Amino acid sequence: MRYHYQPFSLVGEHNIMFLRSFIILFLSCIVIRLSLCLSSIPSTLKTLPLNLNFDEASLRHAARDFGNRYQHHPMAVLHPESVPDIAATIKHIWLMGPSSHLTVAARGHGHSLQGQAQAHGGIVINMESLKVKEMQVYGGNSPYVDVSGGELWINILHETLRYGYAPRSWTDYLHLTVGGTLSNAGVSGQAFKHGPQISNVQQLEIVTGTGEVVNCSKEHNGELFHSALGGLGQFGIITRARILLEPAPTKVKWIRVLYSDFSAFTRDQEQLISAENAFDYIEGFVIINRTGLLNNWRSSFNPQDPVQASHFKSEGRTLYCLELAKYFSLEEIDVVNQEVERDLSYLSYIPSTLFLTEVTYVDFLDRVHVSEVKLRSKGLWDVPHPWLNLFIPKSKIHSFAQVVFGNILKETSNGPVLIYPVNKSRWDNRTSVAIPDEDIFYLVAFLTSAVPSSNGTDGLEYILSQNKRILEYCERAQLGAKQYLPHHSTQEEWRDHFGSKWEAFLKRKSLYDPLAILAPGQGIFQKTVSFS
């Protein structure tokens, strides 16, 4: 029996020795890797008199965003105390020349979707750390506020309201930084009237890709001013902005109505964005295969006719909700009620679905934050968000709706699908943002949330596949659609995205960031690329 067991015991000992050796080797590799990572940090970078963090917790935080899909770890995170801190960092990398692979990304509140504010192996600048002068509100005939590029819009709202003013154009979610939204466009239900946020800026302070701090406006350094607005962070980091204001209302009459006919829905939307002084906010959303819809609204809205509303059935239908808001002050309530009743009488919605409520101006603008708090409490906020945002020309919106809402999209239970028109005349064509070439175009936003580990229709892979089908249809049908908050894989796709603006985009890049140091997460340029 010994002769049978002894070989096995020897094998066991050999296995244990092998396992120990493997573990030692594995741990040694980790130590070597960490040493290499630390030694790969340029010595000059470590000696800069700046608040640069190299610890794993800071790097891990900077490598995440709201999209929760891409995680590219930087080499360091800068917490700037002043604009010169940002300028010194970029200037240092610029002077290192093309032999250095270091890049820089500005990160605001981390609400990017696809790693756009990340810098693999580079430096992420935490814009919320930027300490600058307090917000300055100026009244008069053309009121404005001067704010930091790292300031949240919700803070700007509260500060300007103290003086009886508020910005004219918003995003639906206010817990975003000024630099972040101005680098894209900043679109919401007020855009039909005042244009996007980039149409409501007077001045900018920008740190370019060579570390130069430049003040600019339409009249002064206008090329850089228009480049940065909607420029996806490619031409400079916005460190300060002068935002136009208007007298602020105190109350909002908030209205929702439903349509089953898409043609009537879009006709009414287009009529409303062309009307004078009808409503101050116009959006819409699509509802597919939802039940008990109106009962859900009753917690926040009141049906004009409760009996009729109780008989309305939404099961299995594709419906379109028109969402409207009228801003007012308390002394105007009687006039506003008459105006709302008059303007609603021109519309072709389903009469039993008229729901109304009155809220404060702040509660209306910050409405999405209420949903955020609820989702966070349930652990449903920090999940993948494979959002898809598109601009669709008015002439193609019916074809788009027929295919996408009638065939590709099966339900809208895992996130809202927004749809509303805006006027191109409110957009400045000199900015970098790419939009369709029609007088009216629609924002269509698929704001889905994926359930982690799900393999069903609410899972990440299914939603990504659905987004791909939508994009392929847009390309195949030659709709002339443009992505908002764009994400493309190749420079050829980016060329198509910018279309006639591409050559100007290249020229501006060579002027303001010739080594392609800035915003590598967008994937438009590689560092040291030739712009000839």
Side-chain angles (χ1 to χ4, degrees), residues 5-38:
Y5 284 103
Q6 189 175 15
F8 285 98
S9 63
L10 288 173
V11 170
E13 289 176 11
H14 285 305
N15 284 342
I16 291 171
M17 291 176 64
F18 174 78
L19 185 59
R20 285 175 178 169
S21 301
F22 178 79
I23 292 172
I24 292 170
L25 180 62
F26 178 73
L27 292 174
S28 299
C29 288
I30 292 177
V31 171
I32 292 169
R33 184 182 173 192
L34 287 172
S35 300
L36 287 172
C37 288
L38 291 172

Side-chain angles (χ1 to χ4, degrees), residues 146-165:
D146 284 336
V147 299
S148 163
E151 192 62 80
L152 297 180
W153 285 98
I154 183 65
N155 296 336
I156 298 171
L157 172 63
H158 288 305
E159 179 65 16
T160 55
L161 283 176
R162 292 176 55 218
Y163 301 88
Y165 296 106

Side-chain angles (χ1 to χ4, degrees), residues 340-524:
V340 167
E341 185 176 352
R342 179 200 65 206
D343 293 331
L344 288 176
S345 69
Y346 301 138
L347 306 181
S348 302
Y349 58 88
I350 302 169
S352 62
T353 65
L354 174 57
F355 277 63
L356 309 93
T357 190
E358 287 182 15
V359 295
T360 67
Y361 185 57
V362 172
D363 285 346
F364 175 73
L365 291 180
D366 202 27
R367 62 197 180 278
V368 176
H369 184 58
V370 176
S371 300
E372 176 190 351
V373 171
K374 291 179 181 177
L375 290 171
R376 283 191 183 278
S377 68
K378 299 176 182 177
L380 299 176
W381 184 256
D382 295 320
V383 299
H385 295 96
W387 287 6
L388 176 63
N389 298 269
L390 300 171
F391 290 139
I392 307 293
K394 170 189 168 182
S395 65
K396 304 295 185 180
I397 194 64
H398 289 270
S399 301
F400 179 88
Q402 185 176 12
V403 173
V404 176
F405 304 145
N407 184 17
I408 297 176
L409 203 64
K410 302 301 182 184
E411 58 182 19
T412 54
S413 58
N414 59 335
V417 176
L418 304 183
I419 176 169
Y420 56 90
V422 293
N423 294 307
K424 186 182 179 183
S425 62
R426 301 291 192 269
W427 296 62
D428 190 330
N429 194 49
R430 291 171 293 181
T431 66
S432 293
V433 68
I435 57 176
D437 191 21
E438 288 192 12
D439 291 340
I440 293 176
F441 57 90
Y442 280 76
L443 172 71
V444 185
F446 303 87
L447 309 182
T448 49
S449 299
V451 176
S453 304
S454 172
N455 294 319
T457 58
D458 56 0
L460 178 61
E461 292 307 315
Y462 181 89
I463 297 168
L464 290 175
S465 173
Q466 188 171 262
N467 289 349
K468 183 181 179 183
R469 289 181 63 195
I470 293 170
L471 289 171
E472 286 175 345
Y473 162 68
C474 290
E475 181 69 23
R476 188 171 61 251
Q478 298 182 328
L479 298 187
K482 298 290 184 182
Q483 283 191 39
Y484 177 55
L485 310 178
H487 175 72
H488 296 288
S489 301
T490 66
Q491 194 173 83
E492 186 172 346
E493 289 175 346
W494 281 111
R495 184 191 297 269
D496 291 341
H497 170 79
F498 286 107
S500 60
K501 289 188 173 185
W502 177 248
E503 293 305 320
F505 200 86
L506 277 179
K507 179 184 175 184
R508 289 169 167 180
K509 187 69 173 178
S510 67
L511 279 173
Y512 303 118
D513 184 24
L515 291 184
I517 290 170
L518 301 174
Q522 295 286 356
I524 306 176

Side-chain angles (χ1 to χ4, degrees), residues 72-187:
H72 301 300
H73 282 65
M75 177 182 290
V77 178
L78 173 68
H79 298 274
E81 295 186 2
S82 65
V83 174
D85 285 358
I86 297 173
T89 302
I90 297 175
K91 174 71 79 174
H92 182 81
I93 296 172
W94 158 254
L95 292 174
M96 293 172 75
S99 61
S100 164
H101 293 289
L102 284 177
T103 55
V104 175
R107 185 183 195 273
H109 206 51
H111 211 262
S112 299
L113 295 173
Q114 313 205 54
Q116 289 98 332
Q118 298 174 20
H120 180 65
I123 298 176
V124 169
I125 299 177
N126 178 11
M127 294 300 293
E128 290 187 287
S129 297
L130 185 60
K131 296 179 177 64
V132 294
K133 293 187 299 183
E134 294 293 321
M135 277 184 265
Q136 298 290 317
V137 178
Y138 299 86
N141 294 329
S142 300
Y144 62 85
V145 60
D146 284 336
V147 299
S148 163
E151 192 62 80
L152 297 180
W153 285 98
I154 183 65
N155 296 336
I156 298 171
L157 172 63
H158 288 305
E159 179 65 16
T160 55
L161 283 176
R162 292 176 55 218
Y163 301 88
Y165 296 106
R168 307 192 298 189
S169 189
W170 298 98
T171 50
D172 286 328
Y173 180 63
L174 303 190
H175 296 251
L176 306 171
T177 58
V178 168
T181 64
L182 296 185
S183 294
N184 288 285
V187 186

Side-chain angles (χ1 to χ4, degrees), residues 193 253 255 271-272 275-280 304 324-329 331-347 349 354 356:
K193 188 174 185 179
K253 190 169 282 290
I255 301 157
Q271 174 186 316
L272 286 169
E276 290 290 331
N277 302 317
F279 291 94
D280 298 290
Q304 187 183 56
L324 307 167
K326 182 85 168 177
Y327 304 157
F328 65 98
S329 298
E331 61 272 15
E332 303 171 309
I333 183 63
D334 292 335
V335 173
V336 165
N337 284 336
Q338 293 173 12
E339 290 175 348
V340 167
E341 185 176 352
R342 179 200 65 206
D343 293 331
L344 288 176
S345 69
Y346 301 138
L347 306 181
Y349 58 88
L354 174 57
L356 309 93

